[in-house]
Amino acid sequence: MKVEIQDITFKYKSQKVLDDISLRISSGKFVGIIGPNGSGKSTFLKVLSRILRPVAGYVSLGEQPLEQFSQKELARTMAVVAQDTNAGYQFTVEDVVLMGRAPYLGRFQSESMADYEIVRQALQVTGCSHLRERSITELSGGERQRVMIARALAQQPKVLLLDEPTSHLDIGYQQEILDLVKRLCTTEGITVVAVLHDLNLAAYYCQELVLFHQGKIAACGLPTEVLTAENIEKVYGTRVLVSPHPVFGTPQVSLLPGMRHQGKTQQTNHIHIIAGGGSGGELMRDLYDLGYYLTAGVLSVGDSDWEAARALNLPVISEAPFSPVSPARHQEHLSMLQHAQAVILAEIPLGHGNLLNLEAALQAADWGIKVYVVEEKTEQNRDFTGGEGQKLLTQVKEKGILVTDKAQLYQALAKQFRLSHPFNELSERTNSAVN
Amino acid sequence: MNRKNKFLLYSLLLSVLVLSVVLATAIGAVAIPPGETFRIILARLTGLFTVADIPTSTQSIIWNLRFPRVLLGLLIGASLALAGVSFQGLLRNPLADPFTIGVSSGAAVGATVAMLLRQLYQFSFPHMIPLFAFVGAFLAMFFVYNLAKIGGQVPVVTLLLAGVVVSSFLSAVISLLMVFAGENMQGIFFWLSGGLIMRSWTEIWFVLPYLLIGSVILYTYARDLNVLLMGEEAALTLGVNVERTKKILLVTASLVTAAAVSVSGMIGFVGLIIPHAVRIVTGPDHRTLLPASALVGASFLIWADVVARTVMAPKEIPVGIITAFVGAPFFIYLLRKKKSEIRL
């Protein structure tokens, strides 16, 4: 059954929570509603289920306006699974699911065999048959949520609304519940509208997404269209990296450190990182969070360390993918490096393509810049040059400072930069303000 | 509960009730054997046979004095328990009882005013106290309901709060009226403590219609009460017209309470304790809970009244004191047993 939302506005007191929302949901679709807290997505679901009445606009189910449904008729067409289920009462699971048949029963009618059969099926589909006699209060969160879905199924709805059905569940249950809902959507043709908190789950399961922002729809469409870094930054105010799911290609959202302005302090705490092949991502993130001014080089375009540097907005010297470091890039690298107070040589694999990076580290040491050589996995052979790389590395180690784990590196850096703790920066600032 | 268990439960509760009625009627200052008592009641009720072998004075004691009193105890007990279940379910609050909504305080004010008018101004007419009490109860309910209403809806929390506030206010009014009553205070005090002394068939005919019609209405809403326990929003999505249902249940339960209180005075604890005790056996399903509580409440009040009239005979203790003496410790026991958590 299709759902049409036309120019819906809803206010709590005088505050507009939904502002002129229009949306068309086609029959049999699994639609995810996403958006930050307070963006109006739960209110939207309550307006859809007629728990709240909009001040303007209308909703229609199929061809019929929502207002024309009787309460029972509506409950036979649409079922709702709430976020938090009131379970203070010792009803058995069967009793609770049987309540899903209430909209089909007259005031003086009791449940027929057919009703019990529908309940039995609903329990079976949701994998709750074995819980039938148990009290609802004894169940785990995931079991209880499955029972609530069974109750919704017993209503034999054409539209199923879910309000953050998995928000209190661990990842195993989340998957179980959403797999179940998706199966119902595909096999029974039920139109599903679910408010989901987790963007990755939403992208993974929903055919379409609607992104709410301040009571309006900021974007809607396919997950790939809605879940873009720009949209998320605009709506959530946070920087993320959107990359395809490694297996299925659905968009996946990864967090990035909060934005900050590099540049002002670059003279005093500049660290240059020589990395590659994934050896530097964690280093960059940690040092970025500690507040250093970072640069990196020479990295191949598309390398994961290059992605990390780019995501953190670091100045970086880049080389074309799979190409050796060219003399021109090497010169740029050296001119970037000479301003640094410290250079970190990450535990990179040594190949003919990046030997110039080792040369650069050596040059830095000769200029008197402190060079930290990270070597956490000594047993692993990472020289693919037949000895040449290892020879160079040994030279760098002689002139530089060898560190065998990251904690040691961070302490050494803190000592060098007199920054024993990230809070020191703060307290120094307050001190100068006092002075 | 399955069908078989339900049948067993109802058979048991009904047998206990019938036995209670017969025994309670037999017990009294003049001891009359239960067998004789049973025959007199049966003969009078059915009119199928006569009991000429039993002296008419005994028959009169049974039929005109004791039996109506026992029957009234039955009706009041059933009414209060029924109203208690409904209020607890409706308000989703284990502490709710027929008195929470302020109905009983309203009745008490009405009755007190009637007694004052009679004493101070010699103004009286037949059945004045029950009538005044009933009107008082109804006004209090009306007032609380409208006080709690916010934009066409009656949220449960405001309803409870309004009930508590109005009850406290009305209690103060009663205390003030008792000051005016001066030396006649004892009559009011006795009424307030609740009792079935000097009650006859008239009161039965007054209460019966409310109980019968009320229990039918409440029972037809049993499924809605169950669904309402899931929360009002969930109930809406399960097809219950929540606001209308609340209104109907509230008015019905209040009227049943008002009728009971207006003839018996304030008998506390029955509406609070009986639903909790019955729920332990039946579970929260109102389709079993409502009738079972009515039966248990009826038997309970019959026996409380027996104690009230025999324990210090020939003096009578107000039955409200007995129910409180039994009810309070029982409630504490429930509270401890369930590890400080009383559930609906």
Side-chain angles (χ1 to χ4, degrees):
Chain A
M1 182 176 272
K2 66 172 183 184
V3 183
E4 266 188 75
I5 296 104
Q6 197 68 50
D7 305 321
I8 287 287
T9 297
F10 182 83
K11 290 178 182 175
Y12 274 120
K13 302 270 163 62
S14 62
Q15 201 193 340
K16 261 190 195 170
V17 183
L18 295 176
D19 190 0
D20 205 20
I21 300 271
S22 295
L23 188 66
R24 206 177 271 249
I25 297 169
S26 356
S27 186
K29 278 269 177 353
F30 189 156
V31 176
I33 309 283
I34 52 176
N37 294 336
S39 59
K41 52 194 196 310
S42 285
T43 308
F44 176 68
L45 213 64
K46 283 185 178 169
V47 169
L48 276 194
S49 56
R50 215 174 69 179
I51 290 171
L52 299 174
R53 313 257 171 161
V55 291
Y58 67 92
V59 177
S60 57
L61 294 182
E63 300 301 328
Q64 199 179 345
L66 201 59
E67 289 300 320
Q68 282 178 16
F69 282 82
S70 78
Q71 200 66 44
K72 282 197 168 182
E73 220 181 324
L74 187 61
R76 291 194 288 259
T77 313
M78 181 161 69
V80 180
V81 175
Q83 179 179 2
D84 243 334
T85 309
N86 203 339
Y89 311 102
Q90 311 235 343
F91 284 112
T92 64
V93 166
E94 188 178 35
D95 285 339
V96 171
V97 179
L98 213 46
M99 287 181 192
R101 297 306 296 163
Y104 290 89
L105 298 168
R107 194 158 289 293
F108 297 96
Q109 208 178 353
S110 57
E111 291 87 354
S112 66
M113 289 315 289
D115 293 313
Y116 276 96
E117 177 56 26
I118 289 163
V119 167
R120 197 189 61 77
Q121 281 174 15
L123 287 170
Q124 198 178 20
V125 170
T126 51
C128 295
S129 299
H130 62 292
L131 303 172
R132 204 171 63 92
E133 302 277 332
R134 294 267 296 279
S135 164
I136 186 88
T137 52
E138 299 167 5
L139 304 185
S140 71
E143 289 172 329
R144 193 152 59 224
Q145 208 56 307
R146 268 175 15 218
V147 170
M148 290 307 147
I149 292 174
R151 187 182 73 188
L153 286 186
Q155 288 174 252
Q156 299 183 308
K158 297 184 179 63
V159 179
L160 179 62
L161 307 182
L162 302 116
D163 190 359
E164 298 193 18
T166 61
S167 58
H168 300 305
L169 306 180
D170 65 40
I171 187 163
Y173 278 130
Q174 285 184 340
Q175 188 182 23
E176 198 179 274
I177 299 282
L178 288 171
D179 278 343
L180 170 64
V181 172
K182 177 127 199 181
R183 206 165 61 232
L184 293 171
C185 178
T186 14
T187 59
E188 319 268 323
I190 300 176
T191 309
V192 177
V193 182
V195 169
L196 293 170
H197 216 69
D198 188 308
L199 300 179
N200 291 332
L201 283 177
Y204 188 87
Y205 284 101
C206 301
Q207 292 159 307
E208 283 172 23
L209 292 181
V210 183
L211 177 62
F212 270 69
H213 183 43
Q214 295 174 347
K216 291 186 168 170
I217 293 176
C220 76
L222 298 172
T224 41
E225 296 163 359
V226 175
L227 283 184
T228 61
E230 296 77 44
N231 278 343
I232 293 169
E233 183 164 351
K234 190 178 86 188
V235 168
Y236 288 86
T238 181
R239 295 179 62 229
V240 294
L241 188 72
V242 179
S243 50
H245 185 286
V247 182
F248 303 111
T250 56
Q252 294 284 298
V253 176
S254 318
L255 281 177
L256 291 177
M259 184 89 89
R260 96 185 137 73
H261 289 289
Q262 288 219 80
K264 284 181 187 164
T265 51
Q266 82 184 72
Q267 305 306 321
T268 55
N269 63 352
H270 180 179
I271 297 177
H272 181 82
I273 297 173
I274 298 172
S279 59
E282 200 184 327
L283 270 175
M284 288 182 209
R285 192 199 65 197
D286 287 351
L287 293 173
Y288 184 92
D289 283 342
L290 286 168
Y292 295 103
Y293 175 78
L294 302 179
T295 55
V298 174
L299 295 169
S300 299
V301 171
D303 182 281
S304 65
D305 287 340
W306 180 83
E307 293 276 7
R310 214 173 61 122
L312 295 171
N313 233 343
L314 308 183
V316 65
I317 309 289
S318 317
E319 184 55 270
F322 305 110
S323 310
V325 177
S326 63
R329 293 288 162 276
H330 182 56
Q331 282 311 314
E332 281 180 42
H333 195 199
L334 289 178
S335 58
M336 173 184 266
L337 203 152
Q338 64 182 340
H339 299 294
Q341 278 88 43
V343 169
I344 297 171
L345 178 60
E347 203 164 7
I348 49 175
L350 308 174
H352 286 293
N354 66 1
L355 284 182
L356 276 180
N357 279 349
L358 289 184
E359 298 276 10
L362 210 55
Q363 180 63 62
D366 287 341
W367 284 335
I369 302 169
K370 284 200 174 165
V371 176
Y372 297 90
V373 182
V374 182
E375 197 154 76
E376 290 182 300
K377 307 168 206 144
T378 42
E379 71 282 359
Q380 208 173 317
N381 179 32
R382 54 192 173 102
D383 181 14
F384 303 100
T385 58
E388 205 181 332
Q390 191 58 49
K391 219 173 83 189
L392 257 175
L393 185 64
T394 316
Q395 278 179 287
V396 182
K397 277 198 239 174
E398 277 166 8
K399 295 187 175 170
I401 302 153
L402 183 69
V403 286
T404 53
D405 67 54
K406 290 199 180 67
Q408 194 190 345
L409 172 67
Y410 300 153
Q411 280 163 21
L413 285 171
K415 209 176 237 172
Q416 184 193 335
F417 289 94
R418 293 166 201 273
L419 189 82
S420 63
H421 196 276
F423 291 130
N424 277 14
E425 203 186 14
L426 194 72
S427 61
E428 269 170 31
R429 217 180 289 152
T430 32
N431 284 346
S432 61
V434 169
N435 296 338
Chain B
M1 276 195 132
N2 59 36
R3 264 160 213 273
K4 198 178 137 217
N5 285 346
K6 265 190 210 172
F7 178 75
L8 278 173
L9 179 78
Y10 287 142
S11 317
L12 178 76
L13 293 181
L14 261 176
S15 321
V16 168
L17 183 60
V18 170
L19 205 66
S20 303
V21 169
V22 174
L23 288 177
T25 313
I27 294 169
V30 184
I32 300 165
E36 259 178 42
T37 311
F38 185 62
R39 276 173 56 218
I40 296 169
I41 295 172
L42 211 60
R44 292 288 191 127
L45 274 181
T46 60
L48 291 177
F49 59 98
T50 53
V51 276
D53 56 315
I54 302 167
T56 37
S57 61
T58 311
Q59 289 194 35
S60 176
I61 289 175
I62 295 292
W63 190 248
N64 294 325
L65 293 176
R66 289 197 201 155
F67 185 63
R69 179 168 180 163
V70 169
L71 210 54
L72 191 65
L74 181 155
L75 296 181
I76 304 287
S79 300
L80 291 176
L82 213 51
V85 172
S86 309
F87 280 120
Q88 282 170 15
L90 187 63
L91 302 177
R92 265 163 286 141
N93 189 312
L95 282 179
D97 77 348
F99 298 168
T100 321
I101 298 299
V103 176
S104 65
S105 308
V109 171
T112 312
V113 168
M115 284 184 262
L116 273 182
L117 285 175
R118 182 185 289 170
Q119 283 157 10
L120 300 179
Y121 305 103
Q122 280 74 45
F123 171 82
S124 79
F125 55 87
H127 312 303
M128 183 177 166
I129 293 178
L131 269 175
F132 266 66
F134 191 79
V135 170
F138 195 82
L139 287 178
M141 182 201 78
F142 186 77
F143 186 61
V144 168
Y145 182 83
N146 282 293
L147 195 64
K149 195 156 79 177
I150 299 172
Q153 299 199 332
V154 187
V156 161
V157 178
T158 51
L159 193 63
L160 271 169
L161 285 175
V164 169
V165 169
V166 169
S167 288
S168 311
F169 174 74
L170 293 178
S171 301
V173 172
I174 294 166
S175 304
L176 185 71
L177 291 176
M178 280 169 85
V179 173
F180 289 137
E183 58 198 35
N184 298 314
M185 213 170 77
Q186 211 190 351
I188 298 174
F189 171 76
F190 247 80
W191 192 92
L192 288 180
S193 307
L196 301 171
I197 191 169
M198 301 292 290
R199 303 298 195 274
S200 64
W201 288 99
T202 336
E203 281 83 9
I204 289 175
W205 297 126
F206 180 75
V207 178
L208 195 61
Y210 288 97
L211 177 60
L212 286 182
I213 297 169
S215 50
V216 169
I217 294 175
L218 293 176
Y219 187 75
T220 59
Y221 276 89
R223 188 186 292 122
D224 303 66
L225 273 170
N226 288 347
V227 176
L228 269 172
L229 282 187
M230 293 291 168
E232 286 182 15
E233 289 188 356
L236 269 177
T237 67
L238 287 166
V240 176
N241 197 328
V242 171
E243 286 306 317
R244 197 185 65 195
T245 304
K246 275 200 292 192
K247 212 177 288 180
I248 290 172
L249 289 174
L250 202 63
V251 171
T252 308
S254 297
L255 286 181
V256 170
T257 310
V261 173
S262 63
V263 299
S264 70
M266 313 256 271
I267 301 177
F269 276 98
V270 179
L272 179 65
I273 295 297
I274 302 296
H276 282 298
V278 174
R279 206 176 272 118
I280 292 173
V281 180
T282 65
D285 187 345
H286 285 87
R287 281 173 294 181
T288 326
L289 187 58
L290 279 165
S293 296
L295 291 172
V296 174
S299 299
F300 175 73
L301 199 62
I302 287 174
W303 285 109
D305 185 49
V306 169
V307 175
R309 62 186 153 90
T310 54
V311 75
M312 285 176 71
K315 221 176 171 168
E316 280 215 20
I317 306 171
V319 72
I321 292 176
I322 305 295
T323 55
F325 267 53
V326 179
F330 181 70
F331 199 74
I332 291 166
Y333 163 75
L334 281 184
L335 206 64
R336 300 305 306 172
K337 199 182 131 217
K338 294 195 140 193
K339 298 266 188 293
S340 79
E341 190 182 11
I342 292 257
R343 280 201 174 124
L344 286 180

